Amino acid sequence: MNPSLSRFLFLVFSAFSSLASSSGDQDYLLLHRPLFANRHVAGGGDVDPENLWFLCASWRFAGEANNLAPWAIVPLECGGYVGEYMTGKAYVFDLEITAREAAAFARSVPLADDGKDAWVFDVDETMLSNLPYYADHGFGLELFNGQEFNKWVEKGVAPAINSSLKLYMEVLDLGFKIFLLTGRSEAQRAITVYNLNSAGFQDWEKLILSISHRGTGDARKSAMLYKSEKRSEMVADGYRIHGNSGDQWSDLLGSNTGNRSFKLPNPMYYIP
Amino acid sequence: MNPSLSRFLFLVFSAFSSLASSSGDQDYLLLHRPLFANRHVAGGGDVDPENLWFLCASWRFAGEANNLAPWAIVPLECGGYVGEYMTGKAYVFDLEITAREAAAFARSVPLADDGKDAWVFDVDETMLSNLPYYADHGFGLELFNGQEFNKWVEKGVAPAINSSLKLYMEVLDLGFKIFLLTGRSEAQRAITVYNLNSAGFQDWEKLILSISHRGTGDARKSAMLYKSEKRSEMVADGYRIHGNSGDQWSDLLGSNTGNRSFKLPNPMYYIP
């Protein structure tokens, strides 16, 4: 929306981005499948500053529609755009329409009285916002650093995404059983429960965590596979998955994905 | 981007939209599953004109991420936004990034020499643009009118989507077999071949058409099911579907969807 602000932020971010990409190379190699670092939004060509906002908006669209190759970092030129998006009203509006459509669908589902109607929520960037962390780390211009991110998680201060909290309360109220399915590790269970509770989330049926951290061990087999397996276990237990809310396509694709998926916006990172 | 232009177009479009929705009720009822006519972008509430552009952009994001309930018409307030998007550079940039990512993926696929590596393309709003038709029909503010649309198809003058033509040539050149899988009917085969050829598309392996028109007969069982069945036949014939390009989620979901999907933008209509 504001190209001059974009350009300013771009200059600020590009100052530390070369640093960030060299320190992050290890995480890059750890990931189980190739993440292409499309560092330039226009495929390597020069970007007309007039078109920068449009190009970055197209890059964001492509990510939300799952058109991008698995990507590791926000394109260098789009750091300003993404920062502006994440801290402005566009992100809030995108969250709100997603929650509103999900709530409308939830209200339309006829529930059985066997307590087996389920809704699945992812945690990070779905229920809890790590925006304070990512604001300190270039809104996705830095490669993901698991150690740094886990330090932030351990603080247990991630705020609720308000539209998701409202949806959560309504879905719970309608009688769905809520399953939280997250790539966070079992070692982070206590702090995650604490953080969720203090952000206002309660009364879920089950919180399912990974046996290891993002990008290592179990999680290396891809979040999509891990989450599909866990949903299969739910279905084997007799649950009917109606809705599935997550900010990553790996939350929403695979098997037993539910009758409807709701993709929350997230242009900051991609988890395969 | 330009709220005053949006408001102007909104006034122009709303003048005929009540007319359009009454004449279109029959098509609406014909469709096999409920299409919710979310006629208002803010869920029924008043829209602050300051926020209109953002709200309509969020609505478009929600559609591209497949978050909307099946929808029948562009929200009343967003006619101006959609018209501006479709005729401006944002649409072109969105098309281009989608084609570029698809081409990058195509180049990365190791092809066998058995001639069984396949790429699937949808036709309307993927290879051919019906923008001239939709520009005359409110860019999605009118309910779909099959009779009127078929008259347009019979002219055979739909222009190529340039980025798709470039992708098509590259995919063909790389050695993929190209399958065109469209909801257009067998009765439209000759004119479709004529239109595709004159727009520059040639040398496809197979053009698969529906036995009946969109919204009637066979097509009522949903494009998703129809296209899944046709892809299953391809796979049964030994083809490996690597890429799948389409502007509708019903092109890209279902079974045998290929290794990668590429969702072209389309905020004008939704085909279940």
Side-chain angles (χ1 to χ4, degrees), chain A residues 1 41 43 51 53-54 58-59 61 64 67-69 89 93-94 97-98 100-101 249 260 262-263, chain B residues 1 41 43 51 53-54 58-59 61 64 67-69 89 93-94 97-98 100-101 249 260 262-263:
Chain A
M1 274 319 255
V41 70
N51 288 336
W53 188 91
F54 285 98
S58 283
W59 174 82
F61 148 76
E64 297 300 356
N67 287 337
L68 298 177
K89 59 183 164 187
F93 283 14
D94 283 353
I97 195 169
T98 309
R100 204 175 68 220
E101 292 294 324
W249 279 103
R260 282 283 301 274
F262 299 94
K263 168 76 178 72
Chain B
M1 275 317 256
V41 69
N51 289 336
W53 189 91
F54 285 97
S58 284
W59 174 81
F61 148 76
E64 297 300 354
N67 287 337
L68 298 176
K89 60 183 165 186
F93 284 13
D94 284 353
I97 194 168
T98 309
R100 205 175 66 219
E101 292 293 325
W249 279 102
R260 282 284 300 276
F262 299 94
K263 167 77 177 74

Side-chain angles (χ1 to χ4, degrees), chain A residues 215-226:
Chain A
T216 64
D218 194 41
R220 290 175 71 181
K221 72 179 170 189
S222 99
M224 190 177 89
L225 190 55
Y226 154 69

Side-chain angles (χ1 to χ4, degrees), chain B residues 5 17 32 45-46 59 95 111 122 155-156 166 200 237 247 258:
Chain B
L5 177 59
S17 64
H32 89 294
D46 280 342
W59 174 81
L95 289 169
L111 298 200
D122 169 55
K155 292 182 184 169
K166 203 176 147 213
D237 287 344
D247 65 293

Side-chain angles (χ1 to χ4, degrees), chain A residues 8-30:
Chain A
F8 167 69
L9 288 169
F10 160 58
L11 290 172
V12 173
F13 291 144
S14 54
F16 62 74
S17 64
S18 58
L19 221 112
S21 53
S22 61
S23 72
D25 278 353
Q26 265 188 312
D27 290 321
Y28 180 88
L29 293 171
L30 267 176

Side-chain angles (χ1 to χ4, degrees), chain B:
Chain B
M1 275 317 256
N2 183 334
S4 61
L5 177 59
S6 297
R7 274 195 295 276
F8 167 69
L9 289 169
F10 160 59
L11 290 172
V12 173
F13 291 144
S14 54
F16 62 75
S17 64
S18 56
L19 220 113
S21 53
S22 62
S23 71
D25 278 354
Q26 265 188 312
D27 290 322
Y28 180 88
L29 292 170
L30 268 176
L31 287 156
H32 89 294
R33 75 185 224 202
L35 288 181
F36 302 109
N38 292 318
R39 293 246 64 182
H40 297 285
V41 69
D46 280 342
V47 176
D48 177 352
E50 279 282 300
N51 289 336
L52 183 60
W53 189 91
F54 285 97
L55 283 170
C56 294
S58 284
W59 174 81
R60 184 170 69 83
F61 148 76
E64 297 300 354
N66 202 21
N67 287 337
L68 298 176
W71 53 276
I73 331 177
V74 169
L76 207 52
E77 302 91 343
C78 297
Y81 170 89
V82 172
E84 209 180 316
Y85 168 80
M86 291 300 299
T87 53
K89 60 183 165 186
Y91 177 54
V92 175
F93 284 13
D94 284 353
L95 289 169
E96 280 174 355
I97 194 168
T98 309
R100 205 175 66 219
E101 292 293 325
F105 170 68
R107 287 191 293 269
S108 79
V109 174
L111 298 200
D113 51 11
D114 60 357
K116 292 292 190 181
D117 294 294
W119 197 286
V120 179
F121 284 91
D122 169 55
V123 172
D124 291 297
E125 267 55 70
T126 299
M127 298 167 73
L128 297 178
S129 172
N130 299 302
L131 197 48
Y133 172 83
Y134 285 101
D136 284 342
H137 294 266
F139 297 106
L141 268 187
E142 289 181 32
L143 271 167
F144 179 71
N145 182 323
Q147 257 185 326
E148 280 299 304
F149 183 72
N150 288 333
K151 276 189 224 165
W152 155 259
V153 167
E154 286 303 327
K155 292 182 184 169
V157 296
I161 291 180
N162 287 329
S163 48
S164 296
L165 179 55
K166 203 176 147 213
L167 170 66
Y168 181 97
M169 306 291 255
E170 181 160 1
V171 164
L172 196 62
D173 214 48
L174 285 164
F176 289 90
K177 299 292 182 192
I178 295 184
F179 288 76
L180 313 186
L181 180 48
T182 172
R184 288 189 178 197
S185 75
E186 273 294 346
Q188 294 166 327
R189 178 178 289 276
I191 193 70
T192 300
V193 170
Y194 167 83
N195 197 154
L196 285 166
N197 285 337
S198 55
F201 297 99
Q202 292 174 54
D203 299 327
W204 56 78
E205 187 69 11
K206 199 171 177 185
L207 166 62
I208 305 166
L209 299 112
S210 165
I211 54 166
S212 52
H213 286 300
R214 174 172 157 191
T216 63
D218 194 41
R220 290 174 71 180
K221 71 180 171 190
S222 100
M224 190 176 89
L225 189 54
Y226 155 68
K227 294 199 167 184
S228 291
E229 285 172 3
K230 295 299 171 186
R231 286 191 305 265
S232 301
E233 292 171 15
M234 287 173 58
V235 170
D237 287 344
Y239 288 98
R240 296 174 294 274
I241 305 176
H242 296 284
N244 188 7
S245 298
D247 65 293
Q248 297 292 321
W249 279 102
S250 52
D251 297 329
L252 307 175
L253 297 175
S255 55
N256 296 302
T257 51
N259 295 330
R260 282 284 300 276
S261 282
F262 299 94
K263 167 77 177 74
L264 283 78
N266 185 356
M268 298 188 300
Y269 59 87
Y270 176 96
I271 300 177

